[in-house]
Amino acid sequence: MPAIQFRAGDALILVDPQNDFCPGGALPIEGGDGIMPELNRWIDAAVAAGVPVFASRDWHPEGHLSFESQGGPWPPHCLQDTEGAAFHPALKLPASVIKVTKGVRFDQDQNSAFDQTGLAEELRRHNVSRVWVGGLAQDVCVAATALDGRKAGFDVVLIAEATRPVTPEGGRESMQKMREAGVQVTSDA
Ligand code: VGL
Ligand code: ZN
């Protein structure tokens, strides 16, 4: 396992490591639960280095427009205050974690943790210039977050070992898009 090298100005962003995106959940991603030990390793290193840890959560109202019943692409998932929307029990979030809630809007989905959450401003308030991103799903919310991070002017590193895609093709396509946008990938180092 490669050593984790944080520097001043880093932040760790865990994207939607929630029960519904893991096997047994409403929108299960193959091996989704398998990333939790790796995320825990990054959390431990971040806490030891004084690097702020952010965790986003998909947090939908009943009948959200992203649900199939409303013509959207997804089965109902991450309903507010349900077990499915809870962070995975194997994830060891530190007391200092900063939670980012998204997917609450009635009029549009928010795949990116940056989308109308104020996350970019909050990162700047913490003097962050580079974000390390892992979580679920690689081809949906992780990719959207990484791409928006680049647009907002941050250096972005994808933690390849700590993410899984909904589909393999989606995973490949999103990886290409992220690389084209200047996202670095841990497995390339
Ligand atoms: C996500 C599908 C629908 C994700 C959220 O967190 O990647 N995927 N809503
Ligand atoms: Zn969603």
Side-chain angles (χ1 to χ4, degrees):
M1 255 182 277
I4 296 173
Q5 303 273 6
F6 284 123
R7 67 176 189 218
D10 277 346
L12 177 63
I13 304 180
L14 317 172
V15 177
D16 304 2
Q18 294 165 273
N19 287 325
D20 268 347
F21 298 124
C22 294
L27 208 171
I29 293 157
E30 195 180 331
D33 53 341
I35 70 169
M36 304 305 160
E38 184 64 10
L39 287 181
N40 287 336
R41 207 169 71 84
W42 285 84
I43 290 168
D44 285 348
V47 170
V51 163
V53 179
F54 293 77
S56 70
R57 58 181 184 179
D58 214 28
W59 197 251
H60 295 311
E62 288 282 351
H64 189 246
L65 53 57
S66 75
F67 298 168
E68 283 155 352
S69 56
Q70 308 300 316
W74 309 113
H77 63 279
C78 295
L79 285 164
Q80 295 169 7
D81 299 305
T82 62
E83 196 51 34
F87 289 114
H88 192 278
L91 188 67
K92 298 190 185 121
L93 289 176
S96 60
V97 68
I98 302 165
K99 293 176 191 168
V100 183
T101 300
K102 64 183 187 60
V104 297
R105 290 193 60 127
F106 298 111
D107 58 342
Q108 61 174 97
D109 205 358
Q110 294 155 280
N111 282 338
S112 158
F114 285 95
D115 190 357
Q116 302 166 84
T117 60
L119 176 58
E121 292 73 17
E122 180 66 6
L123 289 169
R124 287 188 199 111
R125 212 173 61 76
H126 286 264
N127 296 314
V128 169
S129 55
R130 179 171 70 172
V131 295
W132 297 78
V133 181
L136 301 169
Q138 187 212 302
D139 47 345
V140 187
C141 290
V142 170
T145 299
L147 293 170
D148 268 0
R150 291 293 298 142
K151 279 188 199 143
F154 296 98
D155 289 331
V156 179
V157 190
L158 174 73
I159 307 172
E161 303 78 15
T163 188
R164 298 284 185 281
V166 177
T167 66
E169 316 82 73
R172 283 188 291 274
E173 279 168 30
S174 67
M175 195 62 93
Q176 191 183 335
K177 268 193 205 144
M178 285 189 271
R179 285 205 166 98
E180 281 167 11
V183 174
Q184 293 166 264
V185 182
T186 51
S187 54
D188 292 349

